[in-house]
């Protein structure tokens, strides 16, 4: 039977994941004030795990405390954005090499299915679901690399990247590039795959820069 401490830790982690997911999905847009009492009522928990979860999300860079408004969802400044892309670019170079080395036919089929799902949602005008499917595609790339070390390093960055891209990019426009990634991986050509990963990230960076200057 779990101890009281283990139960509290599990509850805090669950609340943290739930709130992070809401932020990444855009349900809590940048600038939104997050109130412990309201969140506790919505999640059916006490205010303690919500308070602890918000502190964790503050350390991760998703929320910040302001003197006049309390805790709010952060807006990333241009320097944050550029550094996030720089870190992601370095990590994706490693990820591309790893995937070429270990990805099998079942993994490629899983990626094809995710791209098809996103395409179906986009064609039907279900943009929220298309965004989620595109995020699942990137999560699957990390999972299919089958490296706990790589996953532990990439996942915190991936969450913030998904949050950023959901705010600024057209999910339908990403589909062709995701298909190009799968095609490159199927070729087993490490150099080609790394180039496709870089091009995809560059497209995303340009979209974010355009949105920031609009």
């Amino acid at each position: 039977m779990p101890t009281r401490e283990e139960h509290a830790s599990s509850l805090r982690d669950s609340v943290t994941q739930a709130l992070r997911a809401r932020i990444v999905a855009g349900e809590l847009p940048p600038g939104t004030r997050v109130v412990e009492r309201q969140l506790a009522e919505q999640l059916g928990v006490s205010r303690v795990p919500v308070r602890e979860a918000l502190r964790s999300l503050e350390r991760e860079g998703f929320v910040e405390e302001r003197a006049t408004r309390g805790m709010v969802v952060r807006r990333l400044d241009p320097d944050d954005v550029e550094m996030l892309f720089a870190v992601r670019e370095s990590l994706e170079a490693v990820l591309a090499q790893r995937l070429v080395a270990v990805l099998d036919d079942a993994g490629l089929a899983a990626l094809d299915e995710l791209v098809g799902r996103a395409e179906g949602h986009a064609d039907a005008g279900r943009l929220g679901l298309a965004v989620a499917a595109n995020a699942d595609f990137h999560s699957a790339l990390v999972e299919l690399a089958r490296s706990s070390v790589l996953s532990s390093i990439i996942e915190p960055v991936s969450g913030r990247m998904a949050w950023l891209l959901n705010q600024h990019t057209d999910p339908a426009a990403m589909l062709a590039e995701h298909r190009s990634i799968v095609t490159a991986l199927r070729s087993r050509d490490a150099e080609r795959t790394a180039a496709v990963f870089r091009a995809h990230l560059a497209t995303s960076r340009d979209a974010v820069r355009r949105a920031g200057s609009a």
Side-chain angles (χ1 to χ4, degrees):
M1 178 179 293
T3 65
R4 180 177 300 178
E5 290 78 12
E6 289 171 336
H7 176 73
S9 176
S10 176
L11 182 59
R12 180 188 64 241
D13 290 345
S14 296
V15 172
T16 302
Q17 291 171 10
L19 294 180
R20 187 191 298 112
R22 289 188 180 189
I23 293 171
V24 170
E27 295 175 22
L28 296 172
T32 300
R33 184 167 176 254
V34 286
V35 181
E36 284 181 15
R37 176 180 52 78
Q38 293 176 349
L39 293 173
E41 290 175 356
Q42 292 170 9
L43 297 172
V45 297
S46 72
R47 293 175 63 173
V48 173
V50 172
R51 183 178 306 122
E52 293 173 344
L54 289 175
R55 290 305 177 192
S56 293
L57 293 173
E58 183 179 27
R59 289 191 293 272
E60 292 180 24
F62 285 100
V63 299
E64 63 183 353
E65 189 164 14
R66 295 182 183 173
T68 55
R69 299 190 62 200
M71 199 74 80
V72 299
V73 178
R74 281 193 65 197
R75 298 180 188 277
L76 293 175
D77 63 39
D79 186 60
D80 290 333
V81 171
E82 289 301 319
M83 183 54 66
L84 193 54
F85 273 105
V87 171
R88 181 71 190 200
E89 183 173 6
S90 297
L91 292 174
E92 286 201 345
V94 178
L95 177 61
Q97 292 179 356
R98 173 69 176 180
L99 285 167
V100 167
V102 305
L103 192 60
D104 57 18
D105 289 342
L108 289 166
L111 293 174
D112 278 330
E113 192 278 330
L114 285 168
V115 174
R117 185 193 309 169
E119 190 170 44
H121 289 316
D123 289 346
R126 299 186 294 266
L127 296 187
L129 292 175
V131 165
N134 280 333
D136 288 344
F137 177 86
H138 283 280
S139 296
L141 289 175
V142 177
E143 183 178 346
L144 290 168
R146 301 199 300 270
S147 169
S148 59
V149 172
L150 193 55
S151 294
S152 66
I153 295 171
I154 287 181
E155 284 177 358
V157 179
S158 296
R160 275 179 269 189
M161 284 295 298
W163 174 38
L164 177 64
L165 296 177
N166 289 353
Q167 298 172 49
H168 298 300
T169 55
D170 176 4
M174 301 179 75
L175 287 169
E177 293 185 353
H178 285 182
R179 287 203 180 280
S180 295
I181 287 174
V182 179
T183 300
L185 287 168
R186 187 170 275 113
S187 75
R188 313 293 182 182
D189 183 328
E191 186 174 339
R192 175 186 176 186
T193 301
V196 171
F197 270 73
R198 286 194 301 272
H200 180 48
L201 195 64
T203 299
S204 298
R205 182 190 283 115
D206 288 345
V208 171
R209 285 173 174 167
R210 287 194 301 272
S213 62

